[in-house]
Amino acid sequence: MFPPPFCPVADALPRMRARGYAVLAPTDMAQGTCTDLAGLAALVPSWDRLEADGYLKDGGRYRRRRHACFVVEGDDVRRAPHRAHWQSLDYNALHGGMQRWFEPIEPAVAEAAAWRQLLVGLARWCSALKGERAWYVEAHQFRIDTTDGIGRPTPEGAHRDGVDFVAVLLVGRTGIKGGETRVFEAAGPDGQRFTLEVPWSLLFLDDERVIHESTPIQPVDATGHRDTLVLTFRSGGFQGDDEVG
């Protein structure tokens, strides 16, 4: 496994401007976003209560998730009414073009101080890069397991998400091999591969400039799984506002 190219918190925004992505160790992520790591750790048991994703077109049973939407403006975090997750076929050729209704993220998670600190801190980075504004945030709790013998974190393959920025945080991995992260220039040949292993490591992406994927996981024992938190930040509204009622 290739180690993550962690950068100091002071280099995170310069790295984003230069390369379109940055990878931070948990302590740097927490420092840079003013987030309480212990508070995030207290939310981990909620990943045991995710619901099955019934929309997988490959017929798999390996993905569980919950979803919620927020509007972050300055230090204010407002949870939006529950809505379908929608992506254009331009960005998700496998699961795009349809309304996917997932079970909502639990109120105790969405209202936790550390959760809101994380959203505010990352939105502050987005504004530093693209200008102060409201950010429309979709949050996805994922568990990819090895029920089918193999689990696919990104069954759609290397992709963009159709937003401004994407934050991928590793919550935990146990009893697996694989799950390598790959980031590529959207308009060039350069790429990097590495494996996130430490809980609350962060991959922060400029979605207009890079594409990303995670390779399949395979079991080392019967309980093998990989948990992540994915947060997308978009200006101007949620993706699919004209398509989702």
Side-chain angles (χ1 to χ4, degrees), residues 33 35 40 68-74 76-79 109-110 112-126 135 137-139 169 229-233:
T33 59
T35 301
L40 288 179
C69 295
F70 304 84
V71 181
V72 182
E73 193 164 8
D76 182 55
V77 179
R78 303 187 304 277
R79 185 165 184 171
V109 174
W115 178 275
R116 291 177 173 249
Q117 290 166 355
L118 180 62
L119 266 58
V120 168
L122 289 171
R124 191 178 300 119
W125 287 10
C126 296
W135 292 100
V137 182
E138 291 198 52
L169 295 111
L229 171 62
V230 176
L231 303 168
T232 64
F233 294 78

Side-chain angles (χ1 to χ4, degrees), residues 16-240:
M16 288 290 294
R17 294 184 180 101
R19 305 187 64 182
Y21 70 96
V23 188
L24 280 80
T27 52
D28 287 298
M29 180 282 295
Q31 179 186 348
T33 59
C34 299
T35 301
D36 175 23
L37 273 179
L40 288 179
L43 305 179
V44 170
S46 69
W47 267 260
D48 292 330
R49 299 188 294 271
L50 304 186
E51 299 289 338
D53 182 340
Y55 293 94
L56 291 170
K57 287 190 174 180
D58 62 4
R61 301 169 296 161
Y62 53 81
R63 184 157 75 180
R64 307 179 73 84
R65 68 195 294 176
R66 287 182 183 268
H67 171 245
C69 295
F70 304 84
V71 181
V72 182
E73 193 164 8
D75 292 332
D76 182 55
V77 179
R78 303 187 304 277
R79 185 165 184 171
H82 195 54
R83 58 186 285 133
H85 176 51
W86 189 92
Q87 290 177 293
S88 164
L89 285 165
D90 293 336
Y91 296 109
N92 190 331
L94 185 61
H95 296 119
M98 61 179 177
Q99 297 183 12
R100 290 183 285 166
W101 287 94
F102 300 111
E103 288 299 311
I105 289 174
E106 296 172 347
V109 174
E111 295 167 7
W115 178 275
R116 291 177 173 249
Q117 290 166 355
L118 180 62
L119 266 58
V120 168
L122 289 171
R124 191 178 300 119
W125 287 10
C126 296
S127 290
L129 292 164
K130 288 201 171 180
E132 190 72 30
R133 66 196 69 186
W135 292 100
Y136 293 79
V137 182
E138 291 198 52
H140 307 262
Q141 291 178 288
F142 286 108
R143 168 165 290 178
I144 307 299
D145 65 32
T146 50
T147 297
D148 297 331
I150 190 170
R152 295 177 175 84
T154 52
E156 65 272 37
H159 66 283
R160 292 167 55 210
D161 285 317
V163 296
D164 289 274
F165 298 100
V166 180
V168 181
L169 295 111
L170 180 74
V171 175
R173 51 180 289 152
T174 182
I176 61 169
K177 58 184 178 179
E180 180 181 85
T181 297
R182 297 177 177 177
V183 183
F184 310 93
E185 285 183 345
D190 291 342
Q192 190 155 19
R193 51 191 290 205
F194 53 89
T195 303
L196 296 175
E197 293 186 90
V198 182
W200 303 110
S201 302
L202 167 68
L203 168 62
F204 192 53
L205 303 161
D206 183 331
D207 192 55
E208 293 184 14
R209 296 176 57 191
V210 297
I211 58 177
H212 63 283
E213 67 175 337
S214 295
T215 63
I217 61 171
Q218 295 176 305
V220 173
D221 63 38
T223 62
H225 64 268
R226 179 178 184 263
D227 293 346
T228 56
L229 171 62
V230 176
L231 303 168
T232 64
F233 294 78
R234 190 172 188 266
S235 60
F238 293 109
Q239 193 171 194

